[in-house]
Amino acid sequence: MTVDAQTFRAVLSQWPTGVAVVTTVAAGGWHGMTAGSFGSVSLDPPLVMVCLARNIHTHALVERSGVFAVSFLGKDQAAIGHRFAGREPGDRFARGSWSAAPTGAPVLGEALAWLDCRVAHSYPGGDHTIFVGEVRTAATPRRTAPLLFHSRSWGQLADPLPDEVTIADTGLAAALHRRLGASGTAPARVTRAGVARLLESVRAAGVRVRTPCPPGPAPGAGSRASWSMLVENAACLAEVPRESGVTAEIVDGPDAPRLVEAARARGLAVTGRVGDAFAPARQAGVLAAVDRLVAGGCAEIALDEGPEAASPLLVRNLLQEAVARARPVPVRVRLREACGLGLANALTAMKSGVRSFDVTLGGVDGGLCAEDVLFLAARLDVATPIDRAALVAAAADLESVWGAVLPGRTYRTAS
């Protein structure tokens, strides 16, 4: 006794697969269909297989032409998949940029990847034929999350939380120095010695601290974090000691490639920054900047929220694409606390592949509060190498120095 067809389909629907478009060329025209029955067969020689139902038109065309191509779809290409699955009328090749591969079979220019194959073997498989193709050419045009098929519906990967997050303080030093420079308005308790003490206490908690001026000798071997410095020009870079442990932060722009190259030549780690990254109309430009900075050799990419509050949807859409494109270079973000969206966007960023956040102790410059991010991580059971208790103590010290209640919402209860 064999399993009935309905049960068999129900069981197979629980096996998640990617979504691919199988195409071929025959009688002077392009043809194709959406398929989920694809797999690798061999690395040497490079062989893959597709299983096509014997009663469909594409099966006969592949059998006749002896060639086929496979284009893997990304999370944003469900419309293309629907068209090739016959769910939408019209020319199947009207969506996307299609071109002929060397065998003549068409491939999708915006696919996650594509394979161009000649049929090496074919085997009967019940109501299907198993076509084994020798891969002649292949490419990976872009990197993003894949389109998936599961339980008879299309979707994308779930958003898992990271195992660990870390933070860097990119706003406290500048905020304290501005307060020192505000003649007649700064409380007497804000002193240069107090500023230095606060910055060192934050760094000693395991937090990398951005300083507006070179911090002097490299931190000792026992330090758990280093300093960073925003490098705006060659003169600024020249002030940073070679191989000092200081991270050079360089903003994308006309001078960025030259500054990145010079910083790396000085033995410095480089963070490439992109400003106003989450503005609604900026995604294409931001992704192009990410590509440039990664190609230039940056050790990490930082995306900064601009003056307009970003929505979690915008944050998710950009970060899923940026993280995939930058990989293996990590992406970090600097978010603002605006309209109550700061922690919502931080959670969205975590679930979009971000593991590092640029924050400010106490949230005193409008940036996301360091203690709030760690409080959120703790409630999500996400680990951090930061000494949270030491950072909370530093926040309490900051409030006494600042002379006002801090914008941060959790430091009084986060110990």
Side-chain angles (χ1 to χ4, degrees), residues 155-226:
Q156 55 185 287
L157 291 170
D159 299 327
L161 287 167
D163 295 327
E164 181 180 277
V165 297
T166 190
I167 60 173
D169 193 310
T170 55
L172 179 62
L176 287 171
H177 280 277
R178 283 195 300 270
R179 203 160 177 85
L180 273 173
S183 177
T185 63
R189 62 178 65 89
V190 180
T191 64
R192 294 191 181 279
V195 169
R197 184 188 72 252
L198 270 169
L199 295 180
E200 176 57 29
S201 66
V202 172
R203 192 186 67 81
V207 180
R208 189 174 76 192
V209 177
R210 179 198 286 173
T211 176
C213 55
S223 299
R224 289 182 294 167
S226 61

Side-chain angles (χ1 to χ4, degrees), residues 166-171 207-208 210 228 249 271-273 300-304 331-336 354-361 365 367-370 373:
T166 190
I167 60 173
D169 193 310
T170 55
V207 180
R208 189 174 76 192
R210 179 198 286 173
S228 71
E249 299 185 39
T271 296
R273 304 201 75 91
E300 58 184 359
I301 304 298
L303 303 180
D304 296 347
V331 173
R332 59 190 308 118
V333 296
R334 177 166 176 80
L335 301 168
R336 297 172 55 245
V354 171
R355 305 292 182 265
S356 301
F357 293 83
D358 290 333
V359 295
T360 303
L361 187 69
D365 68 343
L368 200 56
C369 173
V373 172

Side-chain angles (χ1 to χ4, degrees), residues 28-318:
W30 290 350
H31 307 270
M33 58 172 286
T34 300
S37 298
F38 165 85
S40 61
V41 176
S42 166
L43 288 175
D44 186 15
L47 300 175
V48 297
M49 68 174 185
V50 293
C51 300
L52 303 181
R54 295 169 63 186
N55 62 349
I56 62 173
H57 186 51
T58 303
H59 176 283
L61 296 178
V62 170
E63 195 170 46
R64 185 187 314 160
S65 67
V67 301
F68 66 87
V70 184
S71 297
F72 303 153
L73 300 185
K75 63 181 178 63
D76 55 347
Q77 294 175 319
I80 294 176
H82 288 152
R83 180 67 64 93
F84 277 87
R87 299 181 186 179
E88 294 182 6
D91 179 7
R92 295 188 175 188
F93 294 93
R95 290 182 181 269
S97 300
W98 295 87
S99 61
T103 66
V107 293
L108 178 61
E110 305 90 356
L112 299 187
W114 55 258
L115 302 157
D116 183 33
C117 309
R118 288 197 177 277
V119 175
H121 311 281
S122 61
Y123 305 99
D127 56 4
H128 282 57
T129 295
I130 304 165
F131 290 101
V132 176
E134 182 177 10
V135 180
R136 309 308 295 267
T137 55
T140 54
R142 69 179 182 132
R143 290 188 288 182
T144 189
L147 183 64
L148 299 179
F149 181 75
H150 176 260
S151 195
R152 300 173 186 169
S153 63
W154 291 353
Q156 55 185 287
L157 291 170
D159 299 327
L161 287 167
D163 295 327
E164 181 180 277
V165 297
T166 190
I167 60 173
D169 193 310
T170 55
L172 179 62
L176 287 171
H177 280 277
R178 283 195 300 270
R179 203 160 177 85
L180 273 173
S183 177
T185 63
R189 62 178 65 89
V190 180
T191 64
R192 294 191 181 279
V195 169
R197 184 188 72 252
L198 270 169
L199 295 180
E200 176 57 29
S201 66
V202 172
R203 192 186 67 81
V207 180
R208 189 174 76 192
V209 177
R210 179 198 286 173
T211 176
C213 55
S223 299
R224 289 182 294 167
S226 61
W227 303 93
S228 71
M229 182 176 173
L230 192 61
V231 174
E232 298 177 334
N233 50 52
C236 185
L237 179 60
E239 297 180 18
V240 184
R242 292 177 178 271
E243 300 180 353
S244 58
V246 175
T247 296
E249 299 185 39
I250 297 173
V251 178
D252 180 62
D255 294 334
R258 178 175 52 81
L259 289 173
V260 170
E261 183 179 4
R264 295 182 67 209
R266 294 178 68 85
L268 304 176
V270 179
T271 296
R273 304 201 75 91
V274 183
D276 199 13
F278 300 101
R282 285 264 293 149
Q283 180 163 332
V286 170
L287 294 176
V290 168
D291 290 342
R292 286 193 299 272
L293 293 168
V294 169
C298 291
E300 58 184 359
I301 304 298
L303 303 180
D304 296 347
E305 184 178 357
E308 183 179 347
S311 74
L313 182 60
L314 281 173
V315 170
R316 184 175 188 270
N317 288 342
L318 175 65

